[in-house]
Amino acid sequence: MTIDFRPALPALIVALTGVVALVIDAFTPRAGRSRTQSVCLTGLAAALLVTFSLPVRIGCPACSPLTGGSVVSDTWSVALQALVLVVGMLALPLSTAYFRAIDQDRGEQNALIMFAIAGMLGLVSSVELISLFISLEIMSVALYALTGSRRARSDSQEAALKYFVTGAFSSAFFLYGVAWLYGVSGGTTFDRIASTLASPLGGNVGCALLASGFLLVGFGFKIAAVPFHSWAPDAYQGAPTSVTAFMSTAVKVAAFGALTRVFHGALFPLADRWIPLLAALAVLTMIVGNVSALAQRDLKRMLAYSSVAHAGYVMTALVSQPPQAAAAVFIYLVAYSVTNLGAFGVLAVLAKDGKEPLTLADISGMARRRPFLSAAMAVFLVSLTGVPLTAGFIGKLRVFAAAISADHAVLALVGLLMSAVSAYYYLRVVVAMYMEPPQDEDRWANVTGAAGLVIALCALAVLMLGVFPERLFAWAQTAAQTFR
Amino acid sequence: MAETILFYALAITAFSAAFAVVLQKSALGSAFALIVVLCSLSAIYGLLGSPILATLQIVIYAGAVMVLFLFVIMLLDVRREKGGGGPRSFVPLALLFAGLLVLQVGAVLVGSELVPQSAPFDGSAKAFARRLFSQDYVYVFEATSVLIVAALAGALALARRRR
């Protein structure tokens, strides 16, 4: 029997691009600049094109493809793959600009970003636990290396080691959960698991719940949900800022994409049991993330705790019925990705001569010297807070609405309260940029070229999605058709 | 009967060697005890009717992984820390979590009736290969190659000398 490999094509194209980038780097003269950016952008664009041209399945999030293999192309996978690819295309110019600024342009960064993206593409389209796990590992291994890629700095090395050790730990949890599910259902495909769990389980309920718990812990580490978030601040702070921008957005997109499919697809028959657990984690994540962010002096660390908090907001959506949950998750992920990529991106593009703005004092009065960049940063921070007319507001509106519709109004209430708390630490940055006197000398880079364009695009997207959300709603509707 | 005796002999060997891994003072001793654990497990896989898994266990774990461990131990010269012993404060916590895990898994196992495979189990190399390279797992097999390339590129990026 022949296997239809087409659903794996986007991931294959991106992985091959990564290999090509490695080879090009190997043959570039030592003094020269890395020339792989355009190659990688082309690869991502080609993968995006292919993603949209594949035949798309509607409905049945857990079904194996009829033509064999472990990955599918359905509306959910296409939507999330497109989002991952777009985030990747936006992150590449930031990465090039940042690594040039810290004078470490010659490296395997672009190739590693490609491999990470290939893993993410597999992650959101897998309907089988082992391929899901391998995809997760491809993504993670590339990211561990990227985190440590600022070789001259010990905090980058430390971040990579912490990320690696906790990541390996979480993989073990995940794998243990996979083994238990295999024991219960005798298979690793999602439809086998879903049909086993839907039938009377007898004494095996305990095994299935244990397995679900282990999977949740594994995913919890990847999305940095409390109490599995302890690596995130250190890893986000120590990693090169452009890498942080990429991994705080794309990883969450991919991990939440897979989490939604696993829990609302394969494990949906147990929904009554895992929803309270997920709700508790969401509350904990929102509270701990936001309250810890209040105390931070370092901008990257503050944004790191903020992205922990945002994982909590997304989780509130997951307690509702599948189609609604999926639509809300997708809307939030789109809004969060463009916003957070922009916010970390602004910090990354300001880097110059190996230094970058780290504290409020570093960016005080920035509005006078860089009005456009400051305006963009203000837009991102306002959107992260969730103020109307920004994408962040639309995202929060939908996830809280989803939670309320599932009779979990408490989640929405906690989310609202915590959003109010978050206003303090986000707007503090805006105040510093606009109302405080500038520093004596201008130490930061002037933003030009592709990186500046990326920031502008992100800011534009945040405003456009916030003012005209209908298009986004329509996309989410289509994406969620898988979960009908 | 002979199989049962063999199983218990192997299980006891694996178990006591596992204790030795934790209790050994020298890292090198722990590593060798771990080899004993892995080899006994390999023999148990063989008893369960899967010669291919038994072979892979030896080649991958007792072979590749352990050689890597030994390299690290010898390169770092861990022996010097032998006398120190390090902080012992983690022992109660470790025991607590280990106990919790054993209780949890035990409780779940007592009540459960894990589903037997629908088809009779065929652990031969041929059956293994057929599943690995058929539509069930061929995608995973291919994806693993990407994982290895990504790991190689990552290791290169981290370990290469600055220039």
Side-chain angles (χ1 to χ4, degrees), chain A residues 18-393:
Chain A
V19 174
V20 171
L22 276 183
V23 174
I24 291 179
D25 261 341
F27 286 98
T28 307
R30 287 192 171 198
R33 288 180 153 188
S34 173
R35 293 181 294 198
T36 52
Q37 184 184 221
S38 50
V39 174
C40 292
L41 281 175
T42 315
L44 292 179
L48 194 63
L49 214 62
V50 170
T51 306
F52 280 120
S53 57
L54 290 174
V56 175
R57 196 177 73 184
I58 291 172
C60 196
C63 290
S64 291
L66 294 170
T67 45
S70 325
V71 288
V72 288
S73 168
D74 56 14
T75 58
W76 184 245
S77 76
V78 167
L80 285 167
Q81 287 188 332
L83 183 53
V84 165
L85 288 167
V86 169
V87 169
M89 288 165 86
L90 291 173
L92 268 178
L94 291 179
S95 168
T96 308
Y98 182 81
F99 279 108
R100 273 182 194 160
I102 62 169
D103 198 23
Q104 199 190 300
D105 184 26
R106 288 300 319 284
E108 290 74 17
Q109 290 94 7
N110 285 347
L112 285 170
I113 290 177
M114 288 298 112
F115 290 130
I117 292 176
M120 293 167 188
L121 298 182
L123 199 57
V124 295
S125 56
S126 290
V127 286
E128 194 264 336
L129 282 172
I130 297 182
S131 66
L132 187 79
F133 177 73
I134 297 286
S135 307
L136 195 70
E137 285 302 291
I138 296 174
M139 172 183 92
S140 304
V141 162
L143 283 172
Y144 302 146
L146 276 171
T147 305
S149 60
R150 196 164 178 187
R151 287 191 301 269
R153 300 266 310 239
S154 62
D155 58 349
S156 178
Q157 308 290 319
E158 182 192 333
L161 192 68
K162 275 185 182 155
Y163 191 21
F164 173 68
V165 171
T166 49
F169 196 58
S170 77
S171 295
F173 270 104
F174 190 90
L175 214 49
Y176 198 42
V178 171
W180 277 97
L181 271 184
Y182 179 76
V184 171
S185 63
T188 54
T189 55
F190 287 3
D191 52 356
R192 177 81 172 261
I193 292 165
S195 62
T196 310
L197 297 185
S199 60
L201 280 170
N204 286 340
V205 167
C207 300
L209 287 177
L210 194 69
S212 316
F214 281 127
L215 289 190
L216 192 57
V217 173
F219 277 121
F221 272 106
K222 293 295 165 203
I223 59 174
V226 177
F228 316 114
H229 69 293
S230 54
W231 59 272
D234 291 335
Y236 284 12
Q237 185 187 14
T241 311
S242 60
V243 171
T244 313
F246 173 66
M247 78 177 183
S248 69
T249 51
V251 173
K252 284 210 208 268
V253 171
F256 268 112
L259 178 75
T260 309
R261 193 192 287 279
V262 168
F263 279 81
H264 278 294
L267 301 176
F268 191 65
L270 296 177
D272 290 343
R273 304 291 192 90
W274 54 254
I275 279 179
L277 196 62
L278 206 63
L281 282 187
V283 168
L284 215 61
T285 307
M286 286 188 285
I287 293 178
V288 173
N290 279 308
V291 172
S292 315
L294 279 179
Q296 302 308 319
R297 290 275 163 271
D298 186 292
L299 288 175
K300 274 167 91 177
R301 227 174 151 75
M302 184 270 280
L303 283 175
Y305 275 111
S306 125
S307 32
V308 170
H310 283 273
Y313 299 134
V314 186
M315 284 161 78
T316 58
L318 286 169
V319 300
S320 60
Q321 284 301 305
Q324 233 180 334
V329 165
F330 181 72
I331 289 170
Y332 201 96
L333 287 176
V334 172
Y336 166 80
S337 304
V338 286
T339 312
N340 218 39
L341 191 73
F344 274 117
V346 167
L347 297 184
V349 293
L350 283 171
K352 186 182 179 185
D353 301 334
K355 290 202 177 68
E356 59 195 292
L358 292 175
T359 60
L360 281 179
D362 285 341
I363 58 160
S364 66
M366 199 174 82
R368 296 200 203 153
R369 288 191 183 125
R370 292 185 182 71
F372 293 112
L373 202 64
S374 306
M377 188 66 173
V379 166
F380 299 137
L381 292 167
V382 166
S383 170
L384 284 172
T385 319
V387 172
L389 297 183
T390 59
F393 172 72

Side-chain angles (χ1 to χ4, degrees), chain B residues 90-102:
Chain B
F90 68 91
V91 169
L93 210 61
L95 282 178
L96 178 75
F97 278 109
L100 267 181
L101 189 70
V102 168

